[in-house]
Amino acid sequence: MKLVRYGKPGKEKPGLMDAAGKLRDLSGVVADIGPGQLSDAALAKLRKIKTDTLPLVRGKPRLGCPVTGTGKFVAIGLNYADHAAEAGLPIPKEPIIFMKATSCMQGPDDAVMLPKGSVKSDWEAELGIVIGTRARYVSQKSALDHVAGYCVVNDVSEREYQIERGGTWDKGKCCDTFGPIGPWLVTRDEVPNPQKLDMWLEVNGRRMQAGNTRTMIFGVAKIISYVSQFMTLEPGDVITTGTPPGVGMGAKPPFYLKKGDVMRLGIEGLGEQQQLVVPFKL
């Protein structure tokens, strides 16, 4: 299934995309797409619904983040060897974990706002994991059983804040609008192998990133198992898994986002998203 949340910010309704690519309203079946709707049992009930009986949604409403009620937005850094190389950093021996604030999560096509004084805002196309059932000290063998589904994430990053301002990476990763997610939450039954997905990103129509999840240093199962050793992963939590090469920081010379730029990105089977870059405003 391709689950969505649509409507104005803060007033999104649950929906799903049918086999013909049309948006269907799920609000008569479930209150929202959140932790209570992400277990295997809850998703199995949704699969039994005859989608052609659900109301069609007319027009092209805004899509919100496809999951609500997220408690943790966990991120993995330098998880592609060629991206580590372009950043001039060694390949990590263990997954690098940092956090993105849940307040930066937004819809896939919502505008990305440059932070106040930003000069090095950058893009990162990434595979996102949405947790469906609690994961605590889980094995790699059972890790994928805890996944509700997958999504596209743009891990937007302010490199000066991240690297040059001391402390942890988080301050360059948590700015408002720096976490576009979606368009859909694609349930794991439709993604039999998350390590075999093409991914890409363009800025102003210029292809900057082109990669495949098979080149991850640490795969999805390893990431879930590893992270679950340090924190309990709860339903609705999101993990974004790192980016392939082609970020602005790695260009020669480096270049970064400016007002009016347009980012467009996608992952095979998980849909596409697009963001206009806008200036800071309170």
Side-chain angles (χ1 to χ4, degrees), residues 255-275:
F255 73 98
Y256 299 100
L257 296 169
K258 63 184 185 304
K259 180 181 72 172
D261 285 345
V262 175
M263 293 177 283
R264 182 168 166 262
L265 59 149
I267 297 178
E268 179 183 355
L270 304 185
E272 299 181 7
Q273 51 178 245
Q274 179 172 295
Q275 301 96 32

Side-chain angles (χ1 to χ4, degrees), residues 1 3 34 37-40 43 47 67 129-133 143-150 185-190 224 235-237:
M1 291 181 295
L3 300 175
Q37 291 76 43
L38 298 176
S39 69
D40 286 351
L43 293 174
R47 285 191 197 94
V67 63
I129 306 164
V130 178
I131 298 298
T133 55
L144 297 186
D145 295 339
H146 297 268
V147 175
Y150 302 93
L185 166 58
V186 181
T187 52
R188 77 169 189 269
D189 59 301
E190 294 195 8
I224 295 168
D237 285 351

